[in-house]
Amino acid sequence: MNRTEIVEWLRCEDESRLESLWKEADEIREKHVGNAVHLRGLLEISNICSRECRYCGIHAGNEKLERYRMSKDEIMACVREAIDYRYGTVVLQAGEDYGITREWMSGLIREIKSETELAVTLSLGERGDEDLVTWKEAGADRYLLRFETSNRELYDSIHPPLASETSDRLALLKRLREIGYEIGSGVMIGIPGQTYEDLANDIQTFKDLNLDMIGVGPYIAHAGTPLGRNDKKLQAPAGEQVPNTEAMTYKGIALARIACPDANIPSTSALATLNTATGRELGLARGANIVMPNLTPKKYRAMYEIYPAKACIDETAADCRACMHRRIISIGRGVGSGRGDSPNKTKPDQSA
Ligand code: SAH
């Protein structure tokens, strides 16, 4: 599908035509990654952040937020829960927290790897090369880093660099792949200032990067952020702004699946936040094959408020597991076993 066709789909509002898009994405999903839905236990290990991302509720300047960093023992207790729940992967996510040192993190990864067979995914922001190499050597398998938008100007206006360094997430993703990680990325849908052309470029960029994992979710305004307060009055020209809607998110998922048939694609919590009743299921029916049940202890969940009214905030890890299983079974799919590695791993690298 070329860029013009992608833009046409993004603009399409005809329900019956869209049915054919959902169907195509679902068929490609089934053919390439099967019917199993893999579960990744998400553990939000710290909400401390040194960045000032203008969209994100845990940005450094949000003084209203109580901050936490989980201890190694707390994390290991959750990791053991992941085993009990038969998850194949644990995702360790945090703000860009330099209190999470290279040594502490590699010790944690080694402990998880020596005690369990879990795949370990890291999502710790833009860390230095030595950190990333050391963590890979310690046994980490995958790294998630969304590039948020491929429009450089928009990116710069919502994602300021740290000190005087430039922030180049696309270059970092290529480096992560070189180091040997499976790489995951993605974008927010409907960022103020994001045009249809931008989103079509994002989808082509997924393909160019040959991503192993692609996470797309709606941008959700947070009143404790500059973007949420619309300080800069970012807005694309009339008729060009991508809406941050549920429908647009399904289009993002379906088009990502068509562009990258082999990728692992989650039905995200941000989507479930827009439609608590059936968002997860519809994401899975329109191209997604992954869900990420939350493993974060209840007492910390509300503090990891990257956007407001996050789905599943009042639930325990056990609730999340039961709920995800029920939803997967209800749409006639199966819960995956094992690590659910990227099919790319067993194929030659086709990235540019
Ligand atoms: N510090 C890590 C993890 C950030 S949270 C990093 O920067 O990679 C993970 C993702 O949440 C972000 O990459 C972003 O795409 C998403 N996110 C942040 N704020 C959001 C908002 N207001 N609405 C929707 N998604 C948001």
Side-chain angles (χ1 to χ4, degrees):
M1 203 183 283
N2 62 33
R3 205 168 62 143
T4 314
E5 290 167 314
I6 296 176
V7 171
E8 263 171 35
W9 276 120
L10 293 174
R11 287 183 179 277
C12 174
E13 289 182 5
D14 178 333
E15 295 289 338
S16 59
R17 282 196 61 218
L18 284 171
E19 279 306 323
S20 69
L21 181 68
W22 312 145
K23 188 159 177 282
E24 185 181 351
D26 197 43
E27 284 171 1
I28 293 177
R29 187 269 311 151
E30 182 171 9
K31 177 156 175 256
H32 286 258
V33 294
N35 279 323
V37 176
H38 292 283
L39 303 178
R40 321 288 204 208
L42 173 65
L43 200 42
E44 295 148 337
I45 62 175
S46 161
N47 71 349
I48 299 171
C49 192
S50 47
R51 294 247 164 202
E52 285 296 355
C53 303
R54 306 223 195 279
Y55 44 85
C56 184
I58 67 169
H59 71 97
N62 186 356
E63 285 167 3
K64 294 209 179 106
L65 195 64
E66 193 186 334
R67 303 282 172 167
Y68 72 91
R69 181 185 304 126
M70 289 173 67
S71 70
K72 219 175 244 182
D73 287 348
E74 285 177 311
I75 296 172
M76 287 308 295
C78 296
V79 166
R80 288 179 200 117
E81 256 184 292
I83 304 289
D84 293 343
Y85 297 155
R86 300 187 191 284
Y87 297 165
T89 299
V90 65
V91 180
L92 306 176
Q93 189 176 84
E96 208 164 293
D97 175 5
Y98 289 90
I100 295 177
T101 63
R102 184 184 310 153
E103 294 70 30
W104 183 88
M105 195 67 210
S106 56
L108 173 64
I109 296 165
R110 283 185 202 282
E111 202 169 325
I112 298 173
K113 286 301 201 174
S114 66
E115 216 182 280
T116 78
E117 307 216 314
L118 291 170
V120 172
T121 303
L122 305 179
S123 179
L124 304 172
E126 295 159 60
R127 300 288 302 228
D129 205 69
E130 257 186 85
D131 294 350
L132 301 171
V133 170
T134 306
W135 297 338
K136 184 76 193 67
E137 285 167 1
D141 301 276
R142 311 180 184 137
Y143 206 99
L144 285 183
L145 185 78
R146 287 186 176 180
F147 60 81
E148 315 295 3
T149 169
S150 56
N151 176 332
R152 183 73 223 189
E153 209 182 317
L154 179 61
Y155 181 77
D156 286 339
S157 67
I158 62 170
H159 189 99
L162 263 193
S164 55
E165 295 166 36
T166 52
S167 165
D168 188 344
R169 288 191 165 206
L170 295 174
L172 202 47
L173 283 162
K174 289 182 186 152
R175 177 64 188 140
L176 284 161
R177 151 116 336 129
E178 245 172 49
I179 295 171
Y181 288 97
E182 278 186 34
I183 54 168
S185 194
V187 298
M188 287 175 287
I189 294 198
I191 308 165
Q194 182 187 51
T195 66
Y196 288 98
E197 292 281 331
D198 291 336
L199 187 51
N201 285 335
D202 294 344
I203 289 161
Q204 291 203 309
T205 305
F206 297 159
K207 190 174 173 155
D208 295 343
L209 289 167
N210 190 24
L211 294 175
D212 299 297
M213 302 163 276
I214 303 169
V216 297
Y219 161 71
I220 301 174
H222 186 305
T225 64
L227 201 61
R229 291 187 298 263
N230 203 11
D231 289 355
K232 274 198 169 178
K233 306 269 177 293
L234 280 179
Q235 175 78 22
E240 294 297 327
Q241 173 66 48
V242 173
N244 58 341
T245 55
E246 189 188 341
M248 195 56 67
T249 307
Y250 298 131
K251 291 180 193 172
I253 290 176
L255 293 165
R257 170 61 67 205
I258 294 165
C260 306
D262 289 334
N264 282 321
I265 301 182
S267 186
T268 56
S269 297
L271 171 59
T273 298
L274 294 193
N275 176 355
T276 326
T278 56
R280 294 253 190 224
E281 290 87 334
L282 287 170
L284 289 172
R286 294 170 178 181
N289 70 321
I290 301 281
V291 289
M292 297 170 71
N294 201 317
L295 272 179
T296 310
K298 205 171 161 181
K299 66 174 176 179
Y300 296 130
R301 274 192 202 197
M303 290 188 242
Y304 198 82
E305 195 191 56
I306 49 185
Y307 51 81
K310 242 169 97 188
C312 320
I313 211 135
D314 291 324
E315 295 180 12
T316 63
D319 296 335
C320 279
R321 175 192 185 262
C323 170
M324 295 294 184
H325 271 250
R326 180 177 54 70
R327 289 178 192 270
I328 292 166
I329 306 299
S330 79
I331 55 168
R333 303 266 282 277
V335 176
S337 58
R339 295 166 29 128
D341 285 321
S342 161
N344 270 341
K345 261 187 116 170
T346 50
K347 292 187 181 172
D349 185 2
Q350 291 143 6
S351 62

